[in-house]
Amino acid sequence: MLIAGLVLVSLNLRPALSSVSPVLAWIQASLGLSATAAGLLTTLPVLCLGVFAPLAPRLAARLGSERTIFVVLLVLAAGTALRAVLGPTGLFLGALLAGASIGVIGVLLPSLIKRDFPRHIGTMMGVYTMALCLGAAIAAGATVPLMDALDGSWRGALAAWAVLAVAAAALWWPQVRGQTGAAPMPPGAPLWRDRLAWAVTLYMGLQSALAYCVFGWLPPILIERGVAPLQAGLVVSVSVLVQLVTAFTGPWIAMRLGADQRPTLLLMLGLALVGWLGCVAGPLEGLWLWAVLQGLGQGGQFSVALLLIVLRSPDAPTAARLSGMSQGVGYTLASLGPLALGLSHDLLGDWSAAGPLFTVVTLAAAAAGWFAAQNRLIEAR
């Protein structure tokens, strides 16, 4: 039941994000949003992932991790459903609530995995990342068909994903009933002065910025290149779906190659970059190949980022603190990626900056990852 609950909870950590971009053109047309405002819509949830991540330890200390996840799942369902009402206000407020909820849950799940599956960390981190990517893929591919089934209502299509959060809360309820008491996050000194912690944090943030550029802007880029909206959504869905392969195998490959995760990390970054450049500037005849390459790289670099949180930590308390720091600071940094891409479109009038911007961020992620993936441990304090 714990594994099933973890999987279904993980499935909810991306639909609120990846369901927006396939219908973004209809949202802009319906509400009159500029590209910058649309960029803010895709950026706001990612920013909330970082801003609200530090709240997770405090909530867990007061309510316990299991109860916190249950309550926040209900908030996620409410935020997701809110996007169907109140016009632009409901859309942006719902994005804020959804992003905040995902930020809190995302910090707590890795610490639960380290606590409850200490001998199977690689496998369970792979399962967690795979479920997370599957949720993103399903939402990216099914939102447009949902809209069509709901008589063209993008509001209903976005709000429908609240059902998945309610289902996760129901399946997670036995963990709440079995919780014997609050499980406060272990105390410890902040990691702000640790260079290795900052390397892990920067890598998490930069690779996440790449991912949210894909989630937020790849469909509009493809549509502007002449790809049909439904096909553009399916391309992103395929890209996210193939992430399942490296999301699960990435941690296994990284650990099989030894204590140094740098070769795996650089391979995944390279695949993602080649795939993105192909999608935004390469021949459309190879679009599906570019999507597959991008997805394989993106899934692998994200799963390695989560694995580094555990591997660079000497114990569970340090892992909890590093998780909060890397996701809090990292996702705040990641929010700048889709925002910068939207601003570049407004300034230049096209997507010509999409390739160079993605390349620069990839190189920065490689530099941070080169240091973060060495066989070293953060000093527990």
Side-chain angles (χ1 to χ4, degrees), residues 280-309:
V280 303
L284 290 177
E285 292 79 7
L287 183 57
W288 296 105
L289 172 62
W290 307 132
V292 168
L293 291 177
Q294 205 288 322
L296 289 174
Q298 201 73 61
Q301 66 191 39
F302 178 59
S303 63
V304 171
L306 292 176
L307 180 66
L308 290 178
I309 294 174

Side-chain angles (χ1 to χ4, degrees), residues 12-65:
N12 278 274
L13 298 187
R14 288 300 178 269
L17 309 178
S18 63
S19 61
V20 173
S21 62
V23 296
L24 191 56
W26 285 276
I27 295 174
Q28 287 184 263
S30 174
L31 301 179
L33 300 181
S34 66
T36 300
L40 178 60
L41 181 61
T42 59
T43 300
L44 182 59
V46 185
L47 180 62
C48 290
L49 295 185
V51 171
F52 288 90
L55 184 63
R58 298 181 182 182
L59 290 174
R62 180 177 294 272
L63 303 175
S65 296

Side-chain angles (χ1 to χ4, degrees), residues 66-89:
E66 290 83 356
R67 190 172 290 112
T68 297
I69 290 174
F70 176 79
V71 172
V72 174
L73 278 171
L74 297 181
V75 177
L76 174 60
T80 303
L82 188 60
R83 299 185 296 180
V85 297
L86 303 180
T89 300

